[in-house]
Amino acid sequence: AGGKIVSRENLLRMISRNPHETDLRSVDALVSRLRRKLGDTSEEGRLILTAPGFGYRLAQPSQPA
């Protein structure tokens, strides 16, 4: 659902077999690659928004980035 912030820790738990042995920055790298694949490279119309110091959220369709 758009708008809900998900922490880097929660994302890491969802994608990693050993979340305690993985660096949180790897989540940032994965989000960066996902943005590139989605063509989500400009600040305008961004689909995946960063919640600084916490995690990420999906933009709501009616909400500008």
Side-chain angles (χ1 to χ4, degrees):
K4 180 180 177 185
I5 297 174
V6 180
S7 71
R8 284 177 176 85
E9 291 86 357
N10 284 342
L11 288 170
L12 187 58
R13 271 188 237 118
M14 288 183 235
I15 63 171
S16 178
R17 292 184 179 154
N18 293 317
H20 301 293
E21 296 177 11
T22 308
D23 183 10
L24 289 177
R25 300 303 290 175
S26 63
V27 174
D28 298 333
L30 288 170
V31 169
S32 177
R33 286 196 299 258
L34 181 59
R35 282 178 171 155
R36 243 187 339 267
K37 286 183 179 187
L38 292 172
D40 191 15
T41 56
S42 70
E43 290 299 319
E44 296 176 21
R46 182 156 269 186
L47 301 171
I48 302 171
L49 305 172
T50 302
F54 189 72
Y56 298 93
R57 67 183 174 91
L58 295 176
Q60 295 179 352
S62 61
Q63 174 188 358

